[in-house]
Amino acid sequence: MTFSRLATRVSNLSLAVAAGGAAALAALVIYTVFMRWVVGQTPNWAEELPRLVLIWTALLGSITCTHRRSHLNAGLLPLIVRSADVRRTIGKVTDIVLLVMLLMLAKAGWDLTLVTMSMTTTALKMPVGFLYLSVPVGCVGMALMQLQHLLSSGDTP
Amino acid sequence: MTFGALTLLGVFGFAILVNIPIAFGLILAALVYLLVFGAAPMMVSAQQFVGGMDSFTLLAIPLFILAAQLMNSAGLTKRIVHLCMSLVGDIRGGLAVVAVLACMLFGALSGSGVADVIAIGSMLLPAMHKNGYHKGFSSALVGCASSFGTVIPPSIVMIVYGTTSNTSVGKLFMGGVIPGLLLTLSLIGVALYISRKHGWAGVKPSDPAERRRAIIDALPALMVPALIIGGIRFGVFTPTEAAASAILYALVLGVVLYRCLSLRDIIDCVIATAETSAAILVIIGAAGLFAWGLTYEQVPQAIAGIIGDWTNSSHSVLLLLTAVLLVLGTFMESIAIIIIVTPIVMPLLSQYGIDPVHFGVLLTVNLAIGANTPPLGIDLMAACRISGISVMETLRPLSLMLMSMLAVLMLITFVPDIVLFLPNLME
């Protein structure tokens, strides 16, 4: 399998999980509304669990956004730099910078995960580290996509 | 301003110029700041990044996006356009009025300007061009009208502001109703003026039976704003729960009533929601980290001090903030602006006795104008993409439309009661 196909598969997989997360968010909040108004009982995880799912959904979905270059950007470069060659060079340099940045954030997230694994959340009594684990997982995934952009000869941002 | 603050702003500005995505530009600036100045351990970057997204209210964002996707797939957009067409489509310049009204009504379903442009623009822009409307005019019109989706509740931009400033999202939603209607009326005025000047015609008139059918057909779609605003107004739902209820309502309409929503359609909507929400939420997380850096460098206090020395008039402060927001809106994304600007201006609001609900609504109107101002007028760009024209072709009609929006902005700046009347009823 080529590196490009591996990146596409990782991107598709992360989007599928993120989509599952988005569906779960809707189901969890609808269930909470039902429990509150019909049964008269709000589950103790009503706030904590959806927030956890939201953060994982955002970071996994971001892997696909990085792969498809669908993160929002200002689009100012073509107005400032006319030469396509110069823009391509700038694009490659920014790909390297972003790769390093994502790996740094992944390391920071991993360190935080280890520190907070011994703490537990209020409602679910789950290690707080599971929340922060989304950062290294998401950032390594996004770094993989940046690496794929860097290695490909295709278009730059 | 400190060297640390200048580093944060400088790196971010440079990142934006070289086309680094906004979320990554914010993270990059914060990481460079932490590396150079060692203000805190690097772990803080991950903590602040997650902390920026860790809010129950923000759950409303993916939920409203999913609700809008489902409603669009269930054919509610078509029904809204058909209703507007049968009611006002036959007057001179009628298609332009239909475009504005349809965008306003769809804005009350979706909460996002770009979603409005795509849903309404793809349907109405080709029809307008076919009927002789100038492409630059119709694109500018749909771009401007769609941006009202951020002012008319539900509004994703208001959810972000409410979360960042700790202001009631329900009150912000109520505060957006009257300004949203005023913006709609002012744009209809401009649209009619330009259309009649050029003699752009309406469509074939509908007979009364056809109108009745269109009203009955669109009734379920028109119930959505009532469900959301009414639910929040009477304390039945929080905004997040209102969004979840809108999803359930869209599913019932699409699957049970209209029977046009297949499992494949629902899956496609969920997948699109995951990607769109991720792009927004990651900016929110990154902006949370960046805003932490600005707060650590005491930028809000420094700015409050500078402005405090300059004036003691709340109107002058609002005008200054408006000018800054309009400039920022021309090249920055709305959500990033809110998360960076809000912590900076909050001390100013309390210092000058400005109601945070009033400012929140002014902010959304400012950003609606920014969403149509080149070079990064995101709604305008989306409309131009659908029409297949460049932004430059819209400039003449666009300037008139922006002026009408600015007039409404000035009115609600100097008469806060227009904004605060409905939120005050909630107390």
Side-chain angles (χ1 to χ4, degrees), chain A residues 10-27:
Chain A
V10 171
S11 166
N12 290 343
L13 178 67
S14 58
L15 183 61
V17 180
L25 278 179

Side-chain angles (χ1 to χ4, degrees), chain B residues 147-310:
Chain B
S147 65
F148 301 164
T150 59
V151 183
I152 294 165
S155 156
I156 289 172
V157 165
M158 282 181 182
I159 295 168
V160 177
Y161 170 77
T163 312
T164 320
S165 64
N166 217 4
T167 306
S168 156
V169 175
K171 283 189 175 179
L172 286 166
F173 278 7
M174 300 304 289
V177 174
I178 298 177
L181 292 174
L182 287 175
L183 285 167
T184 305
L185 286 175
S186 70
L187 198 60
I188 285 177
V190 174
L192 280 175
Y193 168 73
I194 299 178
S195 303
R196 290 183 178 196
K197 201 170 117 187
H198 290 89
W200 292 324
V203 289
K204 190 171 72 69
S206 311
D207 57 53
E210 215 174 319
R211 282 184 185 173
R212 234 186 346 265
R213 259 201 315 277
I215 293 172
I216 294 168
D217 236 21
L219 211 55
L222 299 176
M223 293 294 288
V224 179
L227 175 81
I228 295 170
I229 300 170
I232 295 170
R233 162 74 181 83
F234 294 107
V236 182
F237 305 129
T238 64
T240 307
E241 291 169 348
S245 309
I247 290 175
L248 194 61
Y249 183 71
L251 284 173
V252 170
L253 287 185
V255 177
V256 182
L257 191 67
Y258 300 142
R259 294 168 188 249
C260 60
L261 210 52
S262 66
L263 184 63
R264 183 69 249 175
D265 293 332
I266 297 172
I267 291 173
D268 287 345
C269 289
V270 172
I271 289 174
T273 300
E275 191 179 350
T276 312
S277 311
I280 296 174
L281 288 165
V282 83
I283 293 180
I284 295 175
L289 166 61
F290 185 83
W292 168 83
L294 290 180
T295 311
Y296 193 86
E297 286 296 317
Q298 302 201 323
V299 175
Q301 290 84 341
I303 291 179
I306 293 167
I307 295 177
D309 290 342
W310 170 64

Side-chain angles (χ1 to χ4, degrees), chain A residues 19 36-37 51 68 70 72, chain B residues 22 54 59 236 241 270 275:
Chain A
R36 185 146 65 90
W37 287 101
R51 273 172 22 214
R68 297 181 181 171
S70 57
L72 294 166
Chain B
I22 291 163
D54 190 9
L59 279 167
V236 182
E241 291 169 348
V270 172
E275 191 179 350

Side-chain angles (χ1 to χ4, degrees), chain A residues 15 18-20 22-23 25-26 29-30 32-33 36-37 46-47 50-52 54-55 57-59 61-62 64-66 68 70-80 90 94 97-98 101-102 104-105 108-109 111-112 115 131-132 134-135 139 142 146 157, chain B residues 16-25 27-28 31 35 42-43 45-47 49-51 53-56 58-59 62-63 66 235-238 240-241 244-245 247-248 251 270-271 273-283 289 331 333 375-376 378 381:
Chain A
L15 183 61
L25 278 179
V29 181
I30 289 170
T32 307
V33 175
R36 185 146 65 90
W37 287 101
E47 287 217 3
R51 273 172 22 214
L52 177 77
L54 178 80
I55 289 163
T57 301
L59 279 151
S62 284
T64 306
C65 294
T66 311
R68 297 181 181 171
S70 57
H71 279 298
L72 294 166
N73 67 35
L76 296 175
L77 193 61
L79 302 175
I80 306 164
I90 292 174
T94 57
V97 171
L98 292 183
M101 180 202 85
L102 286 165
M104 279 173 65
L105 188 60
D111 290 344
L112 186 63
V115 169
L131 178 71
Y132 293 117
S134 59
V135 178
C139 288
M142 286 187 263
Q146 279 301 141
Chain B
I16 292 288
L17 285 180
V18 294
N19 257 19
I20 286 180
I22 291 163
F24 291 167
I27 297 172
L28 183 66
L31 289 186
L35 274 178
M42 287 301 278
M43 268 191 292
S45 59
Q47 189 193 20
F49 179 52
V50 170
M53 292 182 275
D54 190 9
S55 152
F56 185 73
L58 290 179
L59 279 167
L63 299 185
L66 180 56
V236 182
F237 305 129
T238 64
T240 307
E241 291 169 348
S245 309
I247 290 175
L248 194 61
L251 284 173
V270 172
I271 289 174
T273 300
E275 191 179 350
T276 312
S277 311
I280 296 174
L281 288 165
V282 83
I283 293 180
L289 166 61
F331 64 91
E333 205 278 325
L376 187 68
I378 193 160
M381 277 158 57

Side-chain angles (χ1 to χ4, degrees), chain B residues 341-426:
Chain B
V341 167
T342 305
I344 295 176
V345 302
M346 285 319 279
L348 274 178
L349 300 187
S350 56
Q351 187 178 326
Y352 285 88
I354 299 167
D355 191 305
V357 174
H358 181 213
F359 178 72
V361 175
L362 294 181
L363 180 71
T364 57
V365 177
N366 263 301
L367 296 178
I369 296 172
N372 288 289
T373 327
L376 187 68
I378 193 160
D379 294 350
L380 180 69
M381 277 158 57
C384 288
R385 201 168 295 165
I386 295 172
S387 298
I389 59 166
S390 83
V391 170
M392 299 308 283
E393 291 175 60
T394 64
L395 292 186
R396 265 182 88 170
L398 179 69
S399 54
L400 266 183
M401 294 171 197
L402 290 180
M403 273 197 280
S404 76
M405 290 164 77
L406 270 174
V408 174
L409 177 63
M410 286 301 115
L411 180 69
I412 60 172
T413 300
F414 290 105
V415 191
D417 284 345
I418 296 176
V419 174
L420 296 174
F421 172 69
L422 288 178
N424 286 344
L425 288 181
M426 285 178 80

